[in-house]
Tab-separated table of all heavy atoms in Angstrom:
chain	number	residue	atom	x	y	z
A	13	LYS	N	95.552	119.021	92.569
A	13	LYS	CA	96.483	118.145	91.737
A	13	LYS	C	96.772	116.823	92.591
A	13	LYS	O	96.846	116.901	93.733
A	13	LYS	CB	97.807	118.901	91.562
A	13	LYS	CG	98.791	118.104	90.680
A	13	LYS	CD	100.043	118.817	90.538
A	13	LYS	CE	101.153	117.987	89.877
A	13	LYS	NZ	102.415	118.594	89.817
A	14	VAL	N	96.691	115.790	91.886
A	14	VAL	CA	97.026	114.467	92.545
A	14	VAL	C	98.553	114.334	92.716
A	14	VAL	O	99.090	114.214	91.655
A	14	VAL	CB	96.290	113.277	91.775
A	14	VAL	CG1	96.728	112.051	92.328
A	14	VAL	CG2	94.846	113.488	91.653
A	15	SER	N	98.912	114.315	93.909
A	15	SER	CA	100.428	114.213	94.131
A	15	SER	C	100.546	113.121	95.239
A	15	SER	O	99.621	112.604	95.896
A	15	SER	CB	100.955	115.423	94.741
A	15	SER	OG	100.453	115.710	96.038
A	16	LEU	N	101.742	112.485	95.273
A	16	LEU	CA	102.075	111.478	96.225
A	16	LEU	C	101.762	111.920	97.696
A	16	LEU	O	101.126	111.205	98.408
A	16	LEU	CB	103.431	111.124	96.073
A	16	LEU	CG	103.993	109.958	97.036
A	16	LEU	CD1	103.301	108.730	96.815
A	16	LEU	CD2	105.554	109.739	97.032
A	17	ALA	N	102.179	113.059	97.899
A	17	ALA	CA	101.907	113.635	99.357
A	17	ALA	C	100.580	113.615	99.601
A	17	ALA	O	100.094	113.134	100.728
A	17	ALA	CB	102.515	115.036	99.620
A	18	ARG	N	99.635	114.359	98.770
A	18	ARG	CA	98.271	114.490	99.063
A	18	ARG	C	97.543	113.165	99.158
A	18	ARG	O	96.627	112.794	99.976
A	18	ARG	CB	97.574	115.381	97.913
A	18	ARG	CG	98.017	116.841	98.124
A	18	ARG	CD	97.236	117.692	97.018
A	18	ARG	NE	97.790	119.066	97.126
A	18	ARG	CZ	98.126	119.735	96.045
A	18	ARG	NH1	98.269	119.064	94.779
A	18	ARG	NH2	98.657	121.027	96.196
A	19	THR	N	97.903	112.335	98.189
A	19	THR	CA	97.312	110.957	98.093
A	19	THR	C	97.586	110.074	99.296
A	19	THR	O	96.723	109.491	99.895
A	19	THR	CB	97.722	110.163	96.775
A	19	THR	OG1	97.443	110.949	95.686
A	19	THR	CG2	97.041	108.806	96.670
A	20	SER	N	98.816	110.100	99.690
A	20	SER	CA	99.174	109.294	100.888
A	20	SER	C	98.630	109.760	102.255
A	20	SER	O	98.106	108.968	102.994
A	20	SER	CB	100.712	109.303	101.074
A	20	SER	OG	101.511	109.004	99.952
A	21	ILE	N	98.539	111.006	102.311
A	21	ILE	CA	97.953	111.532	103.541
A	21	ILE	C	96.389	111.443	103.637
A	21	ILE	O	95.973	110.959	104.520
A	21	ILE	CB	98.301	113.161	103.639
A	21	ILE	CG1	99.820	113.133	104.062
A	21	ILE	CG2	97.594	113.755	104.865
A	21	ILE	CD1	100.433	114.635	103.905
A	22	LEU	N	95.789	111.668	102.431
A	22	LEU	CA	94.389	111.495	102.440
A	22	LEU	C	93.959	110.059	102.593
A	22	LEU	O	93.082	109.699	103.268
A	22	LEU	CB	93.945	112.023	101.137
A	22	LEU	CG	92.256	112.235	100.939
A	22	LEU	CD1	91.726	113.036	102.003
A	22	LEU	CD2	91.954	112.784	99.581
A	23	GLN	N	94.819	109.208	101.999
A	23	GLN	CA	94.476	107.777	102.087
A	23	GLN	C	94.602	107.305	103.543
A	23	GLN	O	93.859	106.522	104.032
A	23	GLN	CB	95.424	106.857	101.237
A	23	GLN	CG	94.962	105.411	101.092
A	23	GLN	CD	93.454	105.416	100.544
A	23	GLN	OE1	93.240	105.890	99.379
A	23	GLN	NE2	92.625	104.583	101.106
A	24	GLN	N	95.604	107.836	104.260
A	24	GLN	CA	95.672	107.484	105.845
A	24	GLN	C	94.477	107.977	106.527
A	24	GLN	O	94.092	107.215	107.328
A	24	GLN	CB	97.108	108.147	106.293
A	24	GLN	CG	98.349	107.524	105.985
A	24	GLN	CD	98.505	106.181	106.481
A	24	GLN	OE1	98.153	105.902	107.627
A	24	GLN	NE2	99.059	105.189	105.765
A	25	LEU	N	94.063	109.129	106.175
A	25	LEU	CA	92.858	109.659	106.911
A	25	LEU	C	91.607	108.764	106.455
A	25	LEU	O	90.729	108.580	107.449
A	25	LEU	CB	92.628	111.046	106.720
A	25	LEU	CG	93.723	112.024	107.331
A	25	LEU	CD1	93.546	113.411	106.776
A	25	LEU	CD2	93.574	111.937	108.859
A	26	LEU	N	91.495	108.316	105.266
A	26	LEU	CA	90.418	107.547	104.876
A	26	LEU	C	90.366	106.204	105.461
A	26	LEU	O	89.342	105.653	105.874
A	26	LEU	CB	90.425	107.359	103.340
A	26	LEU	CG	89.883	108.509	102.483
A	26	LEU	CD1	90.369	108.280	100.948
A	26	LEU	CD2	88.510	108.700	102.646
A	27	ASP	N	91.571	105.667	105.783
A	27	ASP	CA	91.699	104.343	106.384
A	27	ASP	C	91.636	104.329	107.888
A	27	ASP	O	91.407	103.374	108.573
A	27	ASP	CB	92.910	103.651	106.058
A	27	ASP	CG	93.118	103.408	104.514
A	27	ASP	OD1	92.011	103.242	103.807
A	27	ASP	OD2	94.199	103.230	104.002
A	28	ALA	N	91.739	105.639	108.437
A	28	ALA	CA	91.756	105.666	109.925
A	28	ALA	C	90.500	105.465	110.594
A	28	ALA	O	89.506	105.942	110.083
A	28	ALA	CB	92.301	107.093	110.351
A	29	THR	N	90.428	104.912	111.739
A	29	THR	CA	89.212	104.754	112.485
A	29	THR	C	89.001	105.800	113.627
A	29	THR	O	87.950	105.826	114.231
A	29	THR	CB	89.090	103.238	113.186
A	29	THR	OG1	90.237	103.057	114.013
A	29	THR	CG2	89.133	102.138	112.138
A	30	THR	N	90.143	106.479	113.871
A	30	THR	CA	90.020	107.578	114.769
A	30	THR	C	90.711	108.839	114.270
A	30	THR	O	91.377	108.636	113.199
A	30	THR	CB	90.938	107.170	116.134
A	30	THR	OG1	92.273	106.998	115.745
A	30	THR	CG2	90.349	105.978	116.696
A	31	ALA	N	90.464	109.897	114.824
A	31	ALA	CA	91.120	111.186	114.401
A	31	ALA	C	92.618	111.002	114.592
A	31	ALA	O	93.155	110.427	115.391
A	31	ALA	CB	90.668	112.279	115.100
A	32	CYS	N	93.454	111.671	113.672
A	32	CYS	CA	94.854	111.509	113.697
A	32	CYS	C	95.508	112.964	113.810
A	32	CYS	O	95.060	113.867	113.093
A	32	CYS	CB	95.326	110.930	112.422
A	32	CYS	SG	94.751	109.183	112.292
A	33	SER	N	96.550	113.187	114.692
A	33	SER	CA	97.282	114.355	114.572
A	33	SER	C	98.272	114.311	113.451
A	33	SER	O	98.491	113.121	112.864
A	33	SER	CB	98.051	114.521	115.889
A	33	SER	OG	99.003	113.527	115.917
A	34	ALA	N	98.887	115.434	113.147
A	34	ALA	CA	100.013	115.495	112.185
A	34	ALA	C	101.067	114.600	112.502
A	34	ALA	O	101.670	113.881	111.595
A	34	ALA	CB	100.417	116.920	111.886
A	35	GLU	N	101.437	114.588	113.707
A	35	GLU	CA	102.484	113.694	114.152
A	35	GLU	C	102.173	112.286	114.027
A	35	GLU	O	103.158	111.512	113.624
A	35	GLU	CB	102.875	114.056	115.731
A	35	GLU	CG	103.541	115.342	115.892
A	35	GLU	CD	102.579	116.573	115.954
A	35	GLU	OE1	101.270	116.373	115.895
A	35	GLU	OE2	103.006	117.774	116.027
A	36	GLN	N	101.056	111.806	114.286
A	36	GLN	CA	100.649	110.425	114.134
A	36	GLN	C	100.670	110.052	112.705
A	36	GLN	O	101.164	108.981	112.321
A	36	GLN	CB	99.249	110.183	114.607
A	36	GLN	CG	99.033	110.177	116.188
A	36	GLN	CD	97.624	110.309	116.627
A	36	GLN	OE1	96.755	110.915	116.117
A	36	GLN	NE2	97.449	109.537	117.793
A	37	LEU	N	100.243	110.966	111.832
A	37	LEU	CA	100.357	110.609	110.444
A	37	LEU	C	101.715	110.667	109.832
A	37	LEU	O	102.050	109.824	109.062
A	37	LEU	CB	99.553	111.805	109.545
A	37	LEU	CG	98.030	111.810	109.652
A	37	LEU	CD1	97.593	113.161	109.035
A	37	LEU	CD2	97.374	110.789	108.902
A	38	TYR	N	102.611	111.447	110.413
A	38	TYR	CA	103.976	111.379	110.079
A	38	TYR	C	104.642	110.068	110.440
A	38	TYR	O	105.340	109.422	109.669
A	38	TYR	CB	104.702	112.485	110.783
A	38	TYR	CG	106.295	112.532	110.661
A	38	TYR	CD1	106.837	112.897	109.474
A	38	TYR	CD2	107.074	112.043	111.773
A	38	TYR	CE1	108.190	112.943	109.328
A	38	TYR	CE2	108.475	112.003	111.656
A	38	TYR	CZ	109.039	112.507	110.503
A	38	TYR	OH	110.455	112.485	110.216
A	39	LEU	N	104.331	109.544	111.576
A	39	LEU	CA	104.836	108.353	112.063
A	39	LEU	C	104.277	107.174	111.177
A	39	LEU	O	105.057	106.120	110.861
A	39	LEU	CB	104.468	108.028	113.617
A	39	LEU	CG	105.333	108.906	114.565
A	39	LEU	CD1	104.827	108.759	116.003
A	39	LEU	CD2	106.790	108.789	114.471
A	40	GLN	N	102.976	107.193	110.985
A	40	GLN	CA	102.462	106.155	110.118
A	40	GLN	C	103.110	105.999	108.628
A	40	GLN	O	103.297	105.020	108.145
A	40	GLN	CB	100.998	106.310	109.965
A	40	GLN	CG	100.174	106.088	111.165
A	40	GLN	CD	98.688	106.521	111.148
A	40	GLN	OE1	98.248	107.097	110.161
A	40	GLN	NE2	97.910	106.416	112.249
A	41	LEU	N	103.154	107.406	108.197
A	41	LEU	CA	103.813	107.425	106.799
A	41	LEU	C	105.383	107.082	106.770
A	41	LEU	O	105.842	106.546	105.776
A	41	LEU	CB	103.602	108.794	106.206
A	41	LEU	CG	101.982	109.079	105.903
A	41	LEU	CD1	101.881	110.474	105.582
A	41	LEU	CD2	101.678	108.220	104.716
A	42	GLN	N	106.059	107.332	107.862
A	42	GLN	CA	107.375	106.878	107.998
A	42	GLN	C	107.633	105.348	107.916
A	42	GLN	O	108.506	104.873	107.345
A	42	GLN	CB	108.021	107.542	109.233
A	42	GLN	CG	108.342	108.985	109.149
A	42	GLN	CD	108.979	109.391	107.902
A	42	GLN	OE1	110.204	108.974	107.692
A	42	GLN	NE2	108.583	110.313	107.168
A	43	GLN	N	106.584	104.643	108.442
A	43	GLN	CA	106.712	103.230	108.604
A	43	GLN	C	106.517	102.704	107.158
A	43	GLN	O	106.922	101.586	106.866
A	43	GLN	CB	105.539	102.721	109.490
A	43	GLN	CG	105.804	102.939	110.895
A	43	GLN	CD	104.746	102.395	111.830
A	43	GLN	OE1	103.727	102.086	111.429
A	43	GLN	NE2	104.934	102.510	113.166
A	44	GLN	N	105.792	103.469	106.268
A	44	GLN	CA	105.671	103.111	104.961
A	44	GLN	C	106.710	103.618	104.088
A	44	GLN	O	106.591	103.566	102.757
A	44	GLN	CB	104.247	103.625	104.441
A	44	GLN	CG	103.039	103.010	105.072
A	44	GLN	CD	101.837	103.733	104.617
A	44	GLN	OE1	101.862	104.544	103.754
A	44	GLN	NE2	100.633	103.430	105.343
A	45	HIS	N	107.763	104.206	104.612
A	45	HIS	CA	108.881	104.745	103.897
A	45	HIS	C	108.468	105.863	102.872
A	45	HIS	O	109.012	105.849	101.664
A	45	HIS	CB	109.774	103.658	103.250
A	45	HIS	CG	110.239	102.509	104.245
A	45	HIS	ND1	110.972	102.854	105.143
A	45	HIS	CD2	109.648	101.328	104.415
A	45	HIS	CE1	111.260	101.722	105.896
A	45	HIS	NE2	110.376	100.844	105.440
A	46	SER	N	107.566	106.772	103.267
A	46	SER	CA	107.052	107.701	102.224
A	46	SER	C	108.034	108.864	102.042
A	46	SER	O	108.128	109.388	100.915
A	46	SER	CB	105.809	108.401	102.803
A	46	SER	OG	105.977	109.164	103.956
A	47	GLY	N	108.868	109.058	103.044
A	47	GLY	CA	109.852	110.128	102.882
A	47	GLY	C	109.294	111.595	103.059
A	47	GLY	O	109.961	112.499	102.803
A	48	LEU	N	108.122	111.659	103.534
A	48	LEU	CA	107.491	113.019	103.609
A	48	LEU	C	107.791	113.595	104.966
A	48	LEU	O	107.913	112.858	105.960
A	48	LEU	CB	105.866	112.890	103.633
A	48	LEU	CG	105.240	112.323	102.352
A	48	LEU	CD1	103.671	112.187	102.597
A	48	LEU	CD2	105.536	113.166	101.162
A	49	SER	N	108.241	114.881	104.911
A	49	SER	CA	108.672	115.556	106.159
A	49	SER	C	107.387	116.013	106.938
A	49	SER	O	106.206	116.128	106.318
A	49	SER	CB	109.466	116.848	105.748
A	49	SER	OG	108.677	117.794	105.115
A	50	LEU	N	107.624	116.291	108.101
A	50	LEU	CA	106.507	116.858	109.032
A	50	LEU	C	106.002	118.158	108.469
A	50	LEU	O	104.717	118.314	108.480
A	50	LEU	CB	106.929	117.018	110.527
A	50	LEU	CG	105.880	117.264	111.504
A	50	LEU	CD1	104.757	116.189	111.536
A	50	LEU	CD2	106.446	117.326	112.922
A	51	ALA	N	106.770	118.969	108.021
A	51	ALA	CA	106.361	120.278	107.397
A	51	ALA	C	105.428	120.086	106.199
A	51	ALA	O	104.457	120.751	105.997
A	51	ALA	CB	107.609	121.110	106.954
A	52	THR	N	105.794	119.089	105.371
A	52	THR	CA	104.881	118.742	104.121
A	52	THR	C	103.685	118.222	104.583
A	52	THR	O	102.595	118.601	104.092
A	52	THR	CB	105.613	117.639	103.251
A	52	THR	OG1	106.970	118.201	102.758
A	52	THR	CG2	104.740	117.214	102.129
A	53	ILE	N	103.602	117.511	105.712
A	53	ILE	CA	102.345	116.865	106.297
A	53	ILE	C	101.519	118.057	106.775
A	53	ILE	O	100.175	118.032	106.305
A	53	ILE	CB	102.513	115.831	107.228
A	53	ILE	CG1	103.227	114.597	106.575
A	53	ILE	CG2	101.261	115.578	107.962
A	53	ILE	CD1	103.592	113.581	107.560
A	54	TYR	N	102.013	118.997	107.389
A	54	TYR	CA	101.189	120.078	107.991
A	54	TYR	C	100.777	120.869	106.645
A	54	TYR	O	99.599	121.437	106.659
A	54	TYR	CB	101.983	121.049	108.777
A	54	TYR	CG	102.096	120.581	110.198
A	54	TYR	CD1	103.300	120.139	110.898
A	54	TYR	CD2	100.948	120.746	110.927
A	54	TYR	CE1	103.171	119.692	112.159
A	54	TYR	CE2	100.869	120.440	112.315
A	54	TYR	CZ	102.110	119.800	112.962
A	54	TYR	OH	102.131	119.550	114.282
A	55	ARG	N	101.476	121.192	105.684
A	55	ARG	CA	101.149	121.931	104.505
A	55	ARG	C	99.990	121.219	103.736
A	55	ARG	O	98.977	121.842	103.422
A	55	ARG	CB	102.340	122.074	103.468
A	55	ARG	CG	101.964	122.913	102.308
A	55	ARG	CD	103.091	123.095	101.289
A	55	ARG	NE	103.820	121.812	101.002
A	55	ARG	CZ	103.285	120.849	100.217
A	55	ARG	NH1	101.978	121.049	99.535
A	55	ARG	NH2	104.053	119.780	99.868
A	56	VAL	N	100.137	119.862	103.700
A	56	VAL	CA	99.116	119.196	102.835
A	56	VAL	C	97.774	119.118	103.643
A	56	VAL	O	96.703	119.259	103.140
A	56	VAL	CB	99.555	117.750	102.467
A	56	VAL	CG1	98.373	116.956	102.098
A	56	VAL	CG2	100.726	117.888	101.528
A	57	LEU	N	97.832	119.031	104.960
A	57	LEU	CA	96.714	118.983	105.860
A	57	LEU	C	95.868	120.259	105.818
A	57	LEU	O	94.722	120.354	105.618
A	57	LEU	CB	97.079	118.692	107.340
A	57	LEU	CG	97.497	117.266	107.581
A	57	LEU	CD1	98.048	117.201	109.078
A	57	LEU	CD2	96.272	116.371	107.424
A	58	THR	N	96.685	121.456	105.639
A	58	THR	CA	96.026	122.800	105.588
A	58	THR	C	95.367	122.801	104.235
A	58	THR	O	94.168	123.243	104.110
A	58	THR	CB	97.155	123.755	105.703
A	58	THR	OG1	97.754	123.813	106.911
A	58	THR	CG2	96.552	125.303	105.355
A	59	GLU	N	96.001	122.288	103.094
A	59	GLU	CA	95.386	122.453	101.722
A	59	GLU	C	94.186	121.408	101.789
A	59	GLU	O	93.030	121.877	101.166
A	59	GLU	CB	96.373	121.829	100.778
A	59	GLU	CG	97.486	122.603	100.493
A	59	GLU	CD	98.576	121.938	99.663
A	59	GLU	OE1	98.370	120.762	99.270
A	59	GLU	OE2	99.603	122.710	99.272
A	60	LEU	N	94.164	120.321	102.350
A	60	LEU	CA	92.950	119.385	102.302
A	60	LEU	C	91.863	120.016	103.244
A	60	LEU	O	90.623	119.830	103.006
A	60	LEU	CB	93.418	118.139	102.908
A	60	LEU	CG	94.449	117.328	102.070
A	60	LEU	CD1	94.790	115.987	102.908
A	60	LEU	CD2	93.772	117.051	100.732
A	61	GLU	N	92.234	120.801	104.263
A	61	GLU	CA	91.158	121.447	105.191
A	61	GLU	C	90.634	122.538	104.246
A	61	GLU	O	89.423	122.704	104.382
A	61	GLU	CB	91.813	121.914	106.391
A	61	GLU	CG	90.850	122.511	107.330
A	61	GLU	CD	91.485	122.986	108.677
A	61	GLU	OE1	92.858	123.289	108.495
A	61	GLU	OE2	90.809	123.137	109.618
A	62	GLN	N	91.432	123.337	103.652
A	62	GLN	CA	90.854	124.402	102.805
A	62	GLN	C	90.036	123.969	101.732
A	62	GLN	O	88.994	124.715	101.309
A	62	GLN	CB	92.014	125.342	102.373
A	62	GLN	CG	92.700	126.117	103.366
A	62	GLN	CD	93.900	126.789	102.918
A	62	GLN	OE1	94.492	126.504	101.688
A	62	GLN	NE2	94.445	127.743	103.625
A	63	ALA	N	90.312	122.738	101.205
A	63	ALA	CA	89.475	122.092	100.144
A	63	ALA	C	88.171	121.428	100.725
A	63	ALA	O	87.430	120.863	99.971
A	63	ALA	CB	90.345	121.167	99.330
Side-chain angles (χ1 to χ4, degrees):
K13 181 180 175 187
V14 176
S15 69
L16 176 62
R18 289 184 184 126
T19 303
S20 300
I21 292 168
L22 192 57
Q23 193 61 52
Q24 285 294 319
L25 290 170
L26 283 166
D27 295 341
T29 57
T30 62
C32 297
S33 69
E35 290 80 6
Q36 289 170 321
L37 289 168
Y38 174 75
L39 293 174
Q40 291 169 3
L41 291 167
Q42 288 305 306
Q43 290 176 350
Q44 298 174 6
H45 306 290
S46 71
L48 298 177
S49 69
L50 188 55
T52 298
I53 291 172
Y54 275 110
R55 179 184 50 77
V56 170
L57 287 170
T58 300
E59 292 171 354
L60 296 175
E61 184 181 19
Q62 289 172 346

